Amino acid sequence: MATQKNAAGRLRAAAAGLLLATAGMTLAARQRRLEAERLHLRRMELEELASRRRALAHQQRMHWELLSRAIDNPSLAAVIDTYDPSIPAERRRQYFYANAWYVNLYHLYRVGLIDREEFHGHARELMHNPLMREYWEASKALRATLADSSDEAQLGRIVDRLVKDLDEADTDEWWVVGTPPTDPRNEAD
């Protein structure tokens, strides 16, 4: 009888051990499956980001192509010319070119190649030029139509503050004017 109880106990212990081992393998397999799913989702997110960046790069090329045609051909420029008609045609062409420089800077920010602090530094360099500041003032009405929460409106407000700081600065060292903003994309890190 004692032998039977002993054998039954060993059998129960072996069954319990086998059950635990099977549960452990099932848990490990489940963890591997969850990790594979997480990796798959991350890969899909990265692919979506890459696709978005390609689309933005394409949009920038298209903008430049269309703007170049307008700069080169006054009859095409008339299609997009929203500036005051009293501004001479040559000056409006310069505004189109200034817009191309600003939009290039905007796209550098949008695709993540620069952050807001770098955007501020490059904008300060651009806005040091009086013609760029004249363009900025002439395009004020266009910026007023932007949704306040959009990246473009937020960056526009950064440039507005920067232009004001440059106008009020009592130094010839324009490269130190203005306080660079913090970038909300960096605060999440």
Side-chain angles (χ1 to χ4, degrees):
M1 186 71 118
T3 308
Q4 280 181 328
K5 283 185 180 180
N6 208 1
R10 283 193 306 253
L11 189 56
R12 276 194 299 274
L18 184 59
L19 186 60
L20 283 174
T22 303
M25 285 190 286
T26 304
L27 183 58
R30 184 172 179 222
Q31 287 175 331
R32 284 191 302 272
R33 206 171 31 254
L34 285 173
E35 184 61 25
E37 288 174 16
R38 275 193 289 270
L39 288 173
H40 178 71
L41 283 174
R42 181 65 179 146
R43 195 172 315 123
M44 288 177 62
E45 289 169 356
L46 290 172
E47 287 172 6
E48 182 180 340
L49 179 61
S51 176
R52 182 171 168 71
R53 284 185 173 172
R54 282 190 302 275
L56 285 169
H58 175 73
Q59 173 59 36
Q60 185 177 8
R61 282 189 303 276
M62 286 298 297
H63 178 264
W64 173 246
E65 179 65 31
L66 293 169
L67 204 49
S68 293
R69 289 180 184 183
I71 291 169
D72 293 340
N73 185 334
S75 68
L76 296 178
V79 173
I80 61 169
D81 190 349
T82 58
Y83 299 109
D84 183 344
S86 67
I87 298 171
E90 185 63 24
R91 182 55 53 110
R92 288 194 309 268
R93 288 176 66 193
Q94 290 172 328
Y95 287 178
F96 291 145
Y97 189 67
N99 174 263
W101 274 99
Y102 177 74
V103 169
N104 180 61
L105 182 58
Y106 169 71
H107 280 290
L108 287 173
Y109 173 79
R110 287 281 314 271
V111 298
L113 294 176
I114 61 173
D115 62 17
R116 284 191 183 202
E117 186 174 345
E118 293 169 303
F119 175 89
H120 182 269
H122 291 297
R124 179 173 45 212
E125 182 179 354
L126 286 175
M127 293 303 159
H128 170 65
N129 182 300
L131 187 56
M132 275 301 286
R133 296 223 303 260
E134 188 180 312
Y135 149 74
W136 194 252
E137 180 60 30
S139 61
K140 187 181 209 173
L142 296 173
R143 289 189 309 283
T145 65
L146 299 171
D148 280 347
S149 62
S150 71
D151 276 345
E152 194 171 357
Q154 292 173 20
L155 295 176
R157 286 190 295 274
I158 288 171
V159 176
D160 288 341
R161 279 190 300 275
L162 181 58
V163 167
K164 184 176 184 260
D165 291 345
L166 286 166
D167 286 342
E168 295 174 353
D170 59 354
T171 180
D172 291 334
E173 297 175 344
W174 59 267
W175 56 91
V176 297
V177 173
T179 304
T182 56
D183 195 323
R185 296 181 300 189
N186 294 339
E187 292 174 5
D189 294 342

